[in-house]
Amino acid sequence: MPGKGDPAVRCFQIALILGNVVIACSGIALSAECIFFLSDQNGYYVLLYATGRDTIFAAAWIGLFTGFAFFCTSILGIYSIMKSKRKLLLAYILLMLFIWCFEVASSISAITQRDWFVPNLFLQQMLQIYQAPLPTYIPSTQDQIYIINGITNSWNNVMTTYQCCGVNGPQDWISYNSTFRAYNSDSQFPWPRQCCSQAGDGTIVDVNACIIGIPNYVYTQGCFDFIAGPLNRHAWGVAWFGFAILCWTFFVIAGAMFFYTQLEA
Amino acid sequence: MKFCYFAVHVEIRFCLIGLVPLFRLNKMQLLICGIILIWFGQNSYSANNPVVLVQPQLASPLLLPYNPTQTTVSLEKPFCVFDTLNPSSNANVDVYVVLSSVASSTFTPWKNYKGTNGGSTGPYRAASFKLPNCASPAKLSDLSIPSKLLSTLNEYLIQIGNNSACVNDPAATDLCNGPLGVGAAYRFKFLLIDGALVKGETSWSEPVFTRQALDPADLDTWIGKRTGSSVVIASVLSSVTFLLLCLLIPMSIYELVHRVKGKWLSGCNHKPQMVETTFTMVIRECHW
């Protein structure tokens, strides 16, 4: 059995402690990244909620808490390795495994849900729900009201902020039937007024030119890149960063298990 | 009077004069025939209306990339098309619209949108505008000047189908530029009107289809195929998790085996102690 001053033991302890320091820092970084993602500055959550494919946000919530849990548990690990306390080390190993499983869930959910962001998904929601009239029976339809208001406001924000129209362009509004079309005539409102070029103070530059469809007076680019782009990047970050942390943590836990077996009671 | 009536329907204005020597109409019948012919001549398409062999064109796609929409079509106004007919300065141009399936070479003008049921029984008069100025046409570069934008658009384009209010309004005037059908083919014709007479016309345009309104419920939202990274992460993480949980088993086995056998191994003491035995043993302190 190695002795106290044995360089091998010391090295191993140092290696495990450094490994835990890295896990602690990575855990905090993961939490921060997930908080940034969850703050959802552009209001994209309701767009995904309406399609039923909001698992990306669930993965981010899990990532937030596992990141913080990694931080706390690795501090416990550093202490127990330094003091060579068996019981604490066993607790550390079991806790780490528990958090490991949740982080695996978060990472796999994020990366598989990322595949769902195709243009038709957002196009269908936009055509069916944008500017739909609110249902009249209030208590039983809060969810529908939330979805309708959320999608309408989100799309208005995105079209105005990023100077885009529809998912692929203004042609989306005139190629498909939509709830918007049912309440707005094709000649006066081929597309919503938010698609019209706006001056700095928010006034439309020229409504008639926008209605006719002259390129400088209506936004001709689609909004898909501005919606799916951030969502894709955030999901990619949560998934792959989680994967990297887990790869590193695997070796730290394995090392801790080995160290535990070498400790005498 | 039978042949006079026949002449009107064949719409050859001067045929009667050729027929007179054959049938020897008396002067009274000739006069009445002539009056009827002149009256019909004002309101009917006549083969002697000069036909300018130019077809109405859609507005340039560079200018209007989203033309036509579901119920509107924007056409270029006829610039310098009727010049050979020497129109007066206050001549008007009328636009006639008909469903492509019922277009024919003859039609009765002066019908409106409601009378022809939106062009399904025959052409209707959709719009009327002043003859565009051939000498100084609208400059497309003026479109970037906001103050001149509206006037330049009006000079250059005519939009068919932009008035949905006049369809159901009982007090609407005869000239109703009602919305076109969705996904239907229409043909257009310009008529030169000078002093309430039809002075000339263009040919019928090529059939123009309005946009079909597709159903969003038919959109395919399937992802197509999984990306490689989802396969990699899912498979690697699942197998590594399994591996890690499996490592618990040897750890616990080793633990149990050690506890049974471990009594004879010296343990870590929390405080250093000298133990006298038959042979000296090094006391190990396990903490830092």
Side-chain angles (χ1 to χ4, degrees):
Chain A
M1 278 287 147
K4 164 200 130 181
D6 195 340
V9 174
R10 280 273 175 90
C11 274
F12 198 65
Q13 280 179 308
I14 290 173
L16 281 182
I17 287 171
L18 278 178
N20 275 299
V21 167
V22 170
I23 293 178
C25 299
S26 311
I28 288 293
L30 180 67
S31 283
E33 184 193 16
C34 291
I35 289 175
F36 173 65
F37 183 26
L38 289 169
S39 63
D40 195 21
Q41 299 291 336
N42 292 312
Y44 294 145
Y45 174 69
V46 66
L47 295 181
L48 295 182
Y49 177 67
T51 66
R53 306 199 196 288
D54 56 346
T55 312
I56 289 265
F57 281 85
W61 277 109
I62 297 175
L64 199 165
F65 286 103
T66 54
F68 188 64
F70 271 136
F71 172 74
C72 298
T73 314
S74 53
I75 291 181
L76 171 72
I78 291 171
Y79 176 73
S80 63
I81 291 168
M82 266 172 54
K83 298 290 181 189
S84 299
K85 293 190 186 288
R86 281 194 109 229
K87 286 196 175 130
L88 274 184
L89 197 58
L90 182 64
Y92 163 78
I93 291 169
L94 293 176
L95 273 176
M96 274 303 224
L97 283 175
F98 188 66
I99 300 166
W100 164 282
C101 292
F102 277 97
E103 182 55 35
V104 165
S106 162
S107 181
I108 294 182
S109 301
I111 199 67
T112 53
Q113 282 299 309
R114 194 169 161 252
D115 292 341
W116 285 103
F117 297 147
V118 292
N120 278 354
L121 185 71
F122 299 107
L123 183 61
Q124 196 177 55
Q125 292 305 310
M126 183 185 81
L127 292 171
Q128 290 177 332
I129 301 179
Y130 179 80
Q131 285 197 11
L134 296 179
T136 46
Y137 297 100
I138 297 295
S140 57
T141 55
Q142 285 291 1
D143 196 51
Q144 285 181 46
I145 292 173
Y146 165 69
I147 288 177
I148 292 172
N149 281 336
I151 288 189
T152 304
N153 291 335
S154 275
W155 272 105
N156 287 342
N157 278 338
V158 169
M159 292 199 282
T160 311
T161 308
Y162 296 107
Q163 299 188 340
C164 58
C165 184
V167 173
N168 303 306
Q171 61 270 22
D172 287 341
W173 294 105
I174 55 178
S175 303
Y176 292 92
N177 253 335
S178 56
T179 310
F180 176 78
R181 177 64 54 235
Y183 292 94
N184 296 283
S185 73
D186 181 60
S187 49
Q188 285 304 305
F189 288 88
W191 34 75
R193 290 286 187 257
Q194 281 78 9
C195 288
C196 297
S197 289
Q198 287 150 40
D201 58 354
T203 55
I204 296 176
V205 174
D206 193 293
V207 177
N208 292 314
C210 173
I211 291 174
I212 292 272
I214 299 180
N216 278 338
Y217 295 90
V218 65
Y219 299 134
T220 51
Q221 64 174 346
C223 298
F224 177 68
D225 285 335
F226 299 109
I227 295 175
L231 288 174
N232 266 335
R233 283 191 289 275
H234 292 148
W236 193 94
V238 168
W240 282 104
F241 191 35
F243 181 75
I245 293 177
L246 290 173
C247 284
W248 179 267
T249 311
F250 171 73
F251 292 105
V252 175
I253 296 179
M257 283 180 178
F258 176 72
F259 189 69
Y260 176 75
T261 59
Q262 300 304 304
L263 276 183
E264 289 93 11
Chain B
M1 299 296 279
K2 252 197 321 194
F3 47 84
C4 175
Y5 185 68
F6 172 71
V8 165
H9 275 267
V10 168
E11 292 171 334
I12 300 173
R13 185 180 290 196
F14 304 109
C15 72
L16 184 60
I17 296 174
L19 281 169
V20 163
L22 294 172
F23 291 98
R24 294 179 191 273
L25 282 175
N26 62 27
K27 280 189 186 167
M28 197 55 183
Q29 284 173 329
L30 198 59
L31 188 62
I32 294 167
C33 235
I35 290 169
I36 292 172
L37 271 172
I38 290 169
W39 182 65
F40 272 123
Q42 287 206 349
N43 288 328
S44 67
Y45 171 95
S46 165
N48 271 348
N49 271 342
V51 176
V52 178
L53 291 176
V54 169
Q55 289 180 308
Q57 297 291 328
L58 277 182
S60 161
L62 291 175
L63 176 66
L64 299 191
Y66 306 110
N67 181 40
T69 67
Q70 286 177 8
T71 60
T72 67
V73 173
S74 290
L75 301 171
E76 271 186 21
K77 284 190 178 174
F79 279 89
C80 310
V81 164
F82 292 117
D83 275 3
T84 50
L85 307 176
N86 291 322
S88 65
S89 56
N90 53 1
N92 280 336
V93 176
D94 283 359
V95 188
Y96 277 78
V97 184
V98 72
L99 265 181
S100 186
S101 47
V102 297
S104 65
S105 54
T106 65
F107 72 98
T108 40
W110 313 114
K111 292 215 163 129
N112 65 4
Y113 181 86
K114 280 184 248 195
T116 58
N117 201 12
S120 49
T121 60
Y124 68 93
R125 185 165 162 252
S128 180
F129 51 88
K130 205 161 157 316
L131 184 68
N133 191 341
C134 179
S136 56
K139 281 189 292 188
L140 290 183
S141 57
D142 277 350
L143 285 171
S144 48
I145 305 171
S147 55
K148 290 195 188 171
L149 175 63
L150 196 56
S151 57
T152 312
L153 276 180
N154 282 338
E155 267 188 68
Y156 177 63
L157 295 175
I158 176 72
Q159 193 181 31
I160 311 297
N162 65 2
N163 190 352
S164 43
C166 70
V167 181
N168 293 322
D169 185 4
T173 60
D174 203 38
L175 187 63
C176 181
N177 195 355
L180 305 174
V182 173
Y186 286 89
R187 299 178 87 140
F188 304 93
K189 185 191 268 275
F190 290 126
L191 251 59
L192 179 67
I193 310 289
D194 206 347
L197 286 178
V198 179
K199 282 280 162 64
E201 62 191 66
T202 62
S203 328
W204 283 111
S205 69
E206 291 298 320
V208 174
F209 278 90
T210 50
R211 285 204 195 226
Q212 187 66 264
L214 305 168
D215 189 4
D218 292 339
L219 278 171
D220 179 19
T221 57
W222 182 243
I223 58 175
K225 75 183 192 77
R226 288 280 176 201
T227 55
S229 40
S230 62
V231 175
V232 163
I233 285 188
S235 53
V236 169
L237 285 183
S238 311
S239 29
V240 171
T241 308
F242 176 70
L243 199 65
L244 205 55
L245 292 173
C246 278
L247 280 180
L248 269 180
I249 300 171
M251 183 177 111
S252 45
I253 290 175
Y254 193 87
E255 190 56 28
L256 291 171
V257 163
H258 238 65
R259 273 192 202 276
V260 166
K261 283 198 190 171
K263 299 295 179 193
W264 59 271
L265 287 176
S266 58
C268 288
N269 297 319
H270 288 289
K271 36 186 182 190
Q273 275 178 297
M274 287 299 287
V275 175
E276 289 286 343
T277 53
T278 47
F279 51 95
T280 49
M281 283 163 60
V282 179
I283 304 300
R284 285 173 278 251
E285 289 184 2
C286 294
H287 46 263
W288 195 262

